[in-house]
Amino acid sequence: MVSQNAVLVFPDFLCVIAVIFLISTFMIHETSQKQSLKTNAAFANYVLAILEQSFKAIDGTMIKEIDQNESLQEYLYTSDTFKRYYYANKVSDNFNNVVINNKLLNSIYLYNFEDQSVLSSTISTKADSFGDEPFIRQLQKGDFPKGWTNTRMYHELEYDKPAEVFSLVKPFPLFTAEKGFIAYNTQYLP
């Protein structure tokens, strides 16, 4: 026979086990959340490091193009129409290769102060018929960014689907900016 004391102790015993179970479940949940936060933070830092490295590589590529691309220099400094056309095609091809080889890049274009033309990897046109004309005009007013710009909507032609981009803009030549500037547009990925 079960004594009356054992019957009274059994519900207390069940309550203690239930409390221990609840506390254990809570502790496991808290530990899991903390570990999840640590994992997320580590992943975010990793992604940030990769993006930062990619943006530095874009900056380095851009400086190299400005400094060492003879076709670009010939295009901007020649007055011969045939040579200018020839070098425009070479520069456009170079821009296209850079965009193809860097998945972060949406487009690249060169703005020429002298004739107010734009040369990209896909088109050559006057600035007033270029889709990014408001940005070009802002840069002409002296609002030249020191690093990456804020996001904006970008398209080359009026019928193109706009893409949200941010840009790295460098003067050409690098220190005098006497000829124009180059804009590297990176697609914004929320």
Side-chain angles (χ1 to χ4, degrees):
M1 272 204 174
V2 179
S3 72
Q4 193 171 5
N5 284 341
V7 171
L8 292 176
V9 171
F10 188 70
D12 291 339
F13 176 72
L14 287 177
C15 285
V16 168
I17 289 184
V19 167
I20 289 173
F21 177 76
L22 288 173
I23 290 173
S24 298
T25 303
F26 178 74
M27 289 175 62
I28 290 170
H29 178 71
E30 285 294 312
T31 303
S32 173
Q33 276 189 328
K34 287 178 183 176
Q35 189 61 39
S36 179
L37 288 173
K38 285 181 183 178
T39 303
N40 289 344
F43 181 71
N45 286 336
Y46 174 73
V47 169
L48 193 61
I50 288 175
L51 285 174
E52 188 174 307
Q53 183 180 12
S54 297
F55 291 145
K56 284 181 181 178
I58 290 170
D59 190 28
T61 300
M62 192 173 193
I63 290 171
K64 181 181 173 192
E65 281 291 314
I66 291 169
D67 194 40
Q68 297 176 3
N69 187 329
E70 291 177 16
S71 297
L72 182 61
Q73 294 175 17
E74 289 290 336
Y75 169 72
L76 287 171
Y77 287 102
T78 191
S79 56
D80 181 284
T81 306
F82 177 75
K83 284 184 178 180
R84 189 168 167 82
Y85 178 76
Y86 171 77
Y87 286 115
N89 285 327
K90 288 187 72 110
V91 170
S92 184
D93 287 345
N94 285 346
F95 286 171
N96 194 40
N97 287 334
V98 172
V99 170
I100 287 171
N101 290 321
N102 191 319
K103 301 301 179 203
L104 289 176
L105 287 177
N106 173 283
S107 59
I108 303 171
Y109 68 84
L110 166 70
Y111 175 70
N112 185 343
F113 291 145
E114 188 175 301
D115 62 4
Q116 296 191 5
S117 66
V118 175
L119 176 65
S120 77
S121 58
T122 57
I123 65 168
S124 177
T125 187
K126 291 292 184 184
D128 56 3
S129 61
F130 187 62
D132 208 26
E133 181 193 14
F135 183 68
I136 290 172
R137 300 300 176 219
Q138 176 187 347
L139 293 175
Q140 283 181 317
K141 291 178 187 173
D143 294 339
F144 214 79
K146 300 244 185 282
W148 290 91
T149 65
N150 292 328
T151 59
R152 70 181 191 289
M153 296 311 288
Y154 170 82
H155 59 94
E156 291 188 350
L157 300 170
E158 74 177 65
Y159 56 82
D160 289 343
K161 181 181 177 191
E164 193 170 0
V165 299
F166 54 99
S167 302
L168 182 63
V169 181
K170 296 281 186 191
F172 188 90
L174 277 173
F175 299 108
T176 62
E178 68 187 50
K179 288 294 187 178
F181 60 82
I182 298 178
Y184 275 47
N185 301 312
T186 301
Q187 184 100 18
Y188 176 70
L189 303 171

